[in-house]
Amino acid sequence: VSYGRDAGGERTVSRGGGGLATALRGLVEQHDVTWIANAMTDEDRVVAGEDQRGTILIAQDRDAYARFYNVIANPTLWFVQHMLWDLARTPDWDDARHDAWTNGYVPVNVRMARATLAELDRDPSAAVFFHDYHLYLAPAFVRRERPDALLAHFVHIPWPEADAWTVLPPTIRHDVLTGLLANDVVGFHTHRWQRSFVRSCVDVLGATVDGDMVEYDGRRTLVTSHPIGIAPSELDELKQDENVLAREREIEASRPEQLVLRVDRTDPSKNVVRGLRAFGLMLDRHPDLRGRVRMLALLDPSRQDIPEYVDYVAAVEREARSLGNAVDLRVGDDFARSVAAYKQFDVLLVNAVFDGLNLVSKEGPYVNERDGVLVLSENAGAHEELGEWALSVNPFDVSAQADAIHEALTMSATERRRRAEAIRAHVRAHDVGAWGDTQLADLDRVRSLP
Amino acid sequence: VSYGRDAGGERTVSRGGGGLATALRGLVEQHDVTWIANAMTDEDRVVAGEDQRGTILIAQDRDAYARFYNVIANPTLWFVQHMLWDLARTPDWDDARHDAWTNGYVPVNVRMARATLAELDRDPSAAVFFHDYHLYLAPAFVRRERPDALLAHFVHIPWPEADAWTVLPPTIRHDVLTGLLANDVVGFHTHRWQRSFVRSCVDVLGATVDGDMVEYDGRRTLVTSHPIGIAPSELDELKQDENVLAREREIEASRPEQLVLRVDRTDPSKNVVRGLRAFGLMLDRHPDLRGRVRMLALLDPSRQDIPEYVDYVAAVEREARSLGNAVDLRVGDDFARSVAAYKQFDVLLVNAVFDGLNLVSKEGPYVNERDGVLVLSENAGAHEELGEWALSVNPFDVSAQADAIHEALTMSATERRRRAEAIRAHVRAHDVGAWGDTQLADLDRVRSLP
């Protein structure tokens, strides 16, 4: 939730878009939940000073928050976990980055832990769910004060193996891991990230493993994997939304015979440049398809306070320009257009370098009405679930991506339908509600441990 | 061994410098060994056409060799194994890189396997030792023809975990792993690389593990780790060599009170730029040391056919210039100067991003005559052996490296001596002869298996 003011000076409320916010909203609506979050806007900060119920916004120190968010969370941790650093050159742990850790990431986590403790004072039996890479330290601060609290953490991004974690200095990677192991449950989207996390605990901390429990420093933590799902009913409604239908008419009016779609944030992990190159290579190999197929790239500009992200958008735009009108690149935040494009694609390209899960690979096929084919990176978390029905690609293999796009464009209707139906059935059966149930089941399991 | 012609047209022979060549020479001299290698120079190619004994040079197709060496071995495999790719941007497996694999790395390995098979025809009981990342496929080609041959492989560079290997397309990483598992023994310098290799086999191939044996496709491969050592007697002699003594007089005449040394190839994995930054930061923090301490960086220009390497030398030179006369940067191949500098250092900086072992960290302290302190990256293989006597640094933590250099410069004479003596004793006890014995013991072990 984020607050603003309208032209008349009245307070406005907007609810976050994006897959994760949508997914969590479903969970929150079904249970008695207090949501604690950092204040982002000026009006959020006003709300943070008021008497809050249900949603509690924390007004962090602005400088600390900037260090926390724009230096440590992004790009440092994000780049470590997606293996995006150009290690011969970056990052440096110089005074600025150390300062961002000590006077940014640490105090923001402390502040969040304090708000959590206040909520536990109000309701000592409440379970606490921490989310993602912004809050690796908070669980340890809460645990110190509440040895018996029930704490769970879900990490939505990839967890690489111990070598990649050496990009963090020893004390920092130690604190990240011990922070997470202060929880009773740590969850990931895939077996792959789960396994890497367990190995990291063994390699870095010398933790021991007993089945799916990690033992360290006299505590046991359940480490699980549960891929998050979509909210089918929300998407069903959205498909009929007037804005979406208007967008769809625009796409239909201008689309060629076949449409290759990608929908992403402009994040280096999403691998947009190689995707464009692959599409161009496919056209070079099959010139008969020129004019009959177009790539529509809908990119939500992301984290534009961070130089690495600004550079990446420029690289994407250069690559797209080199392909002329074979590519329709739209950089902007327009979820209605994304949903309209989901309905219209013949091929959906998800070729992420690394991705924790990738909800586009579930939303797109669920909404699609043309039995479109999913081309899916083997390094996207969703590949564990959907790989058998997608055309798998290696994210670095531009040549193979070109071939996969062509195979998708020329696949028989029967085969397209078979694959599309299998994905839709899987996505419907494993929705966000089912995911929420797994979170609660994990809690029940650790609650009942001796 | 490499051949040339002198001014009078007579054939000349030069023996490779560098730690690995020195180390292997000791092994070769003590046993009845045939050395098979690729011809590098024009004269090598002439020799390759002659009747050869003891050393067999293979004249590979020039284009195939260029693809093999300058595209696949370096940078592709080297960058994968040292985690140096800037994955949002590079590498692309485009037509050129695929071609370099299919028409470069593969046929060069086939040709090397054929030469090995010819040698096995001559002596069917001979054991075959493959070395390093250039020959991952050759063992499988030999195994196909000689199911009972005794094959061992030593990988001298890091082995990262399975996530890093996804930079290779699935069939290629499969062939790399099955190529290695065609050996009876696969050796690494450290437990860390050994463990990652075993995990890769499990993750990528679904191999099973039984103690230190990996089982795959009906075969068992012993996976071991034995850090290579130096040849003490060669270094003892070199210390007294007239060229070395001349170089030492030059260094002595110009040296300030204290000397911080690094000796490396100009390879991005060596982390020269961050080392220079750390030294500059140390001087900023301790201006009293300006003029009293200098960094001497002796860099052997390496792989200058490869753009990434040319760029890196330029970055090193820019960084060094920014530090003025606090840094004496020498880019050139002068082993005598390196040995002279080994004798003279007060601090030896080895801060590699990743390094299979790093022989400088053994040669330097062994030769040094000032109880110099070793500052050693936690990601250098030698850290498993020498870490307890070195000042450990994280290669990305420029701030901590600055502190470690200062700590080394200001360490008490007693403490310096204690550490230096411990390293010298370890290096002397674990020399290259001892390493060779471990290779033979591993062979005996697999030979005696049922």
Side-chain angles (χ1 to χ4, degrees):
Chain A
V1 177
S2 191
Y3 296 90
R5 292 271 176 184
D6 66 17
E10 292 297 302
R11 177 172 289 170
T12 61
V13 183
S14 65
R15 290 172 194 285
L20 180 56
T22 303
L24 292 176
R25 197 180 306 142
L27 195 62
V28 167
E29 281 166 2
Q30 290 164 44
H31 302 275
D32 174 23
V33 171
T34 299
W35 180 263
I36 307 177
N38 287 312
M40 307 284 284
T41 65
D42 288 342
E43 192 64 19
D44 286 354
R45 292 176 166 271
V46 176
V47 173
E50 298 170 2
D51 187 29
Q52 302 181 83
R53 283 287 145 80
T55 301
I56 296 179
L57 295 180
I58 312 295
Q60 300 276 359
D61 175 82
R62 283 177 194 271
D63 288 343
Y65 189 81
R67 291 177 176 108
F68 155 82
Y69 194 81
N70 289 338
V71 182
I72 300 299
N74 307 297
T76 305
L77 291 173
W78 179 272
F79 271 36
V80 166
Q81 296 195 234
H82 292 81
M83 299 183 67
L84 294 173
W85 286 116
D86 179 11
L87 292 182
R89 291 174 185 80
T90 54
D92 280 5
W93 281 90
D94 51 13
D95 287 345
R97 201 175 302 266
H98 276 287
D99 170 69
W101 179 263
T102 308
N103 300 313
Y105 195 80
V106 173
V108 165
N109 269 263
V110 166
R111 188 77 197 276
M112 192 58 94
R114 263 196 228 122
T116 306
L117 289 165
E119 204 43 35
L120 284 171
D121 281 344
R122 205 181 58 79
D123 180 0
S125 71
V128 182
F129 291 85
F130 295 99
H131 278 277
D132 231 359
Y133 58 103
H134 311 82
L135 297 176
Y136 286 151
L137 305 181
F141 298 131
V142 173
R143 177 64 67 203
R144 199 178 299 159
E145 305 296 321
R146 297 286 188 287
D148 299 324
L150 201 55
L151 310 181
H153 206 125
F154 203 92
V155 179
H156 293 268
I157 67 175
W159 194 275
E161 290 152 318
D163 285 338
W165 285 100
T166 67
V167 177
L168 305 186
T171 58
I172 291 180
R173 63 180 185 258
H174 177 275
D175 289 352
V176 164
L177 283 167
T178 56
L180 277 166
L181 288 182
N183 292 289
D184 299 291
V185 184
V186 177
F188 298 89
H189 287 309
T190 69
H191 296 294
R192 178 178 177 183
W193 315 139
Q194 173 192 16
R195 181 177 63 189
S196 292
F197 177 75
V198 170
R199 287 177 179 170
S200 307
C201 294
V202 171
D203 295 353
V204 177
L205 299 177
T208 55
V209 180
D210 176 15
D212 49 8
M213 307 293 290
V214 170
E215 305 190 0
Y216 176 71
D217 199 23
R219 296 199 73 262
R220 287 158 65 86
T221 300
L222 173 64
V223 182
T224 61
S225 64
H226 303 295
I228 203 167
I230 60 167
S233 57
E234 277 199 33
L235 287 170
D236 291 341
E237 267 177 49
L238 264 172
K239 281 178 74 164
Q240 304 308 325
D241 179 273
E242 202 40 62
N243 288 324
V244 169
L245 294 173
R247 287 308 203 183
E248 193 182 2
R249 283 188 293 273
E250 288 171 25
I251 293 172
E252 263 190 310
S254 67
R255 60 166 292 156
E257 206 172 311
Q258 291 190 293
L259 205 57
V260 178
L261 175 69
R262 73 175 307 141
V263 177
D264 285 301
R265 288 185 303 101
T266 54
D267 193 290
S269 70
K270 300 297 184 181
N271 212 18
V272 182
V273 173
R274 284 197 192 85
L276 290 165
R277 281 185 196 148
F279 184 71
L281 187 57
M282 187 279 297
L283 289 178
D284 291 345
R285 288 179 181 170
H286 307 282
D288 53 305
L289 291 179
R290 274 195 196 279
R292 294 167 51 200
V293 55
R294 189 183 301 140
M295 173 173 264
L296 175 59
L298 303 182
L299 303 181
D300 188 0
S302 171
R303 302 172 187 166
Q304 294 294 301
D305 292 340
I306 301 170
E308 284 85 348
Y309 283 78
V310 176
D311 293 349
Y312 193 71
V313 173
V316 166
E317 288 172 340
R318 271 196 307 276
E319 194 70 33
R321 267 197 304 274
S322 77
L323 294 172
N325 60 12
V327 171
D328 184 1
L329 171 69
R330 307 290 180 102
V331 180
D333 176 8
D334 186 342
F335 191 56
R337 183 162 59 189
S338 298
V339 176
Y342 283 162
K343 294 167 82 173
Q344 287 282 326
F345 72 78
D346 300 283
V347 180
L348 179 65
L349 177 62
V350 176
N351 67 329
V353 170
F354 285 98
D355 208 329
L357 181 88
N358 194 287
L359 277 168
V360 169
S361 66
K362 296 187 169 185
E363 292 170 350
Y366 181 77
V367 169
N368 185 253
E369 297 180 341
R370 298 170 65 91
D371 292 333
V373 181
L374 175 63
V375 175
L376 184 58
S377 167
E378 59 169 325
N379 283 343
H383 194 270
E384 275 191 12
E385 291 169 89
L386 307 181
E388 61 178 306
W389 307 300
L391 296 180
S392 288
V393 287
N394 177 275
F396 310 103
D397 195 340
V398 172
S399 176
Q401 286 167 50
D403 287 343
I405 293 169
H406 186 256
E407 184 183 348
L409 288 169
T410 54
M411 189 178 280
S412 74
T414 320
E415 180 65 10
R416 289 166 67 101
R417 167 144 300 183
R418 186 187 73 77
R419 292 170 181 255
E421 281 180 352
I423 295 178
R424 278 195 294 271
H426 176 93
V427 169
R428 193 180 288 114
H430 300 84
D431 67 0
V432 69
W435 178 78
D437 292 343
T438 65
Q439 306 303 299
L440 301 177
D442 282 345
L443 271 195
D444 286 344
R445 189 174 149 200
V446 297
R447 214 182 237 131
S448 67
L449 287 174
Chain B
V1 176
S2 192
Y3 296 90
R5 293 269 175 184
D6 66 16
E10 292 296 303
R11 177 172 288 169
T12 60
V13 183
S14 64
R15 289 172 194 283
L20 180 56
T22 304
L24 291 177
R25 197 180 306 143
L27 195 61
V28 168
E29 282 166 0
Q30 289 164 44
H31 301 275
D32 173 22
V33 171
T34 299
W35 179 263
I36 306 177
N38 286 312
M40 308 285 284
T41 65
D42 288 341
E43 192 64 18
D44 287 355
R45 291 174 167 272
V46 176
V47 173
E50 299 170 2
D51 187 32
Q52 303 180 82
R53 283 287 146 80
T55 301
I56 296 179
L57 295 181
I58 313 294
Q60 301 274 0
D61 175 82
R62 282 178 195 270
D63 287 343
Y65 189 81
R67 292 177 176 108
F68 155 82
Y69 194 81
N70 289 337
V71 181
I72 300 300
N74 309 296
T76 304
L77 291 173
W78 178 271
F79 271 36
V80 166
Q81 296 195 233
H82 292 80
M83 297 181 70
L84 294 174
W85 286 116
D86 178 10
L87 291 182
R89 290 174 186 79
T90 54
D92 280 4
W93 281 90
D94 50 14
D95 288 344
R97 201 176 303 265
H98 277 287
D99 170 69
W101 179 264
T102 308
N103 300 312
Y105 195 80
V106 173
V108 165
N109 269 262
V110 167
R111 187 78 197 274
M112 192 58 93
R114 264 197 229 123
T116 306
L117 288 166
E119 203 43 37
L120 283 171
D121 281 341
R122 207 183 55 80
D123 180 0
S125 71
V128 182
F129 291 86
F130 295 99
H131 277 278
D132 231 359
Y133 58 104
H134 311 81
L135 298 177
Y136 286 151
L137 305 182
F141 297 130
V142 173
R143 176 65 67 203
R144 200 179 299 162
E145 305 296 322
R146 296 287 187 286
D148 298 325
L150 201 56
L151 310 180
H153 207 125
F154 203 91
V155 179
H156 294 269
I157 67 176
W159 194 275
E161 290 151 319
D163 284 338
W165 284 99
T166 67
V167 177
L168 305 187
T171 57
I172 291 181
R173 63 181 185 257
H174 176 275
D175 289 352
V176 165
L177 283 166
T178 56
L180 278 166
L181 288 182
N183 292 289
D184 299 291
V185 185
V186 177
F188 297 90
H189 287 309
T190 69
H191 296 294
R192 179 178 176 182
W193 316 139
Q194 174 192 16
R195 183 176 61 189
S196 292
F197 176 74
V198 171
R199 287 177 179 171
S200 306
C201 294
V202 172
D203 294 354
V204 176
L205 300 178
T208 56
V209 179
D210 175 16
D212 49 8
M213 306 294 288
V214 171
E215 304 190 359
Y216 176 70
D217 199 23
R219 296 200 72 264
R220 289 158 64 86
T221 300
L222 172 64
V223 182
T224 60
S225 64
H226 303 295
I228 203 167
I230 60 167
S233 57
E234 278 199 30
L235 288 170
D236 291 343
E237 267 177 47
L238 263 173
K239 282 177 72 164
Q240 304 308 323
D241 178 273
E242 201 41 61
N243 288 325
V244 171
L245 293 173
R247 288 307 204 183
E248 193 183 4
R249 282 188 294 273
E250 288 171 25
I251 293 172
E252 262 190 312
S254 68
R255 61 165 290 154
E257 206 171 309
Q258 290 190 296
L259 206 57
V260 177
L261 175 68
R262 75 174 306 138
V263 177
D264 284 302
R265 287 185 304 102
T266 54
D267 192 290
S269 69
K270 301 297 185 183
N271 213 16
V272 181
V273 173
R274 285 196 190 85
L276 290 165
R277 282 186 196 147
F279 184 70
L281 187 57
M282 187 280 295
L283 289 178
D284 290 345
R285 288 178 181 170
H286 307 282
D288 52 306
L289 290 179
R290 276 193 193 279
R292 292 167 52 200
V293 56
R294 188 184 303 141
M295 172 173 266
L296 176 60
L298 302 181
L299 302 181
D300 188 359
S302 171
R303 301 172 187 166
Q304 294 295 299
D305 293 339
I306 301 169
E308 285 84 347
Y309 283 78
V310 176
D311 293 349
Y312 193 71
V313 173
V316 166
E317 287 172 341
R318 273 196 306 276
E319 194 69 36
R321 269 197 302 275
S322 77
L323 294 171
N325 61 9
V327 170
D328 184 0
L329 170 70
R330 307 289 180 102
V331 179
D333 175 11
D334 186 343
F335 192 56
R337 183 161 61 187
S338 297
V339 176
Y342 282 162
K343 294 168 82 172
Q344 287 281 325
F345 73 78
D346 299 283
V347 180
L348 179 64
L349 177 62
V350 176
N351 68 329
V353 169
F354 284 98
D355 208 330
L357 182 88
N358 194 286
L359 277 168
V360 168
S361 66
K362 295 188 168 182
E363 292 170 351
Y366 180 77
V367 169
N368 184 255
E369 296 179 341
R370 299 171 64 91
D371 292 334
V373 180
L374 175 63
V375 175
L376 184 59
S377 167
E378 60 168 325
N379 283 345
H383 194 269
E384 275 191 12
E385 292 169 89
L386 306 181
E388 61 179 305
W389 308 300
L391 296 179
S392 287
V393 288
N394 178 274
F396 310 102
D397 195 339
V398 172
S399 176
Q401 287 168 50
D403 288 345
I405 292 169
H406 186 254
E407 185 183 346
L409 289 169
T410 54
M411 190 179 278
S412 74
T414 320
E415 181 64 11
R416 290 165 66 101
R417 165 143 301 183
R418 186 187 73 77
R419 291 170 181 255
E421 281 180 351
I423 295 177
R424 278 195 294 271
H426 177 92
V427 170
R428 194 179 288 113
H430 300 84
D431 67 0
V432 69
W435 178 78
D437 292 343
T438 64
Q439 306 303 300
L440 300 178
D442 282 344
L443 271 195
D444 286 344
R445 191 174 146 201
V446 295
R447 212 182 241 131
S448 67
L449 287 176

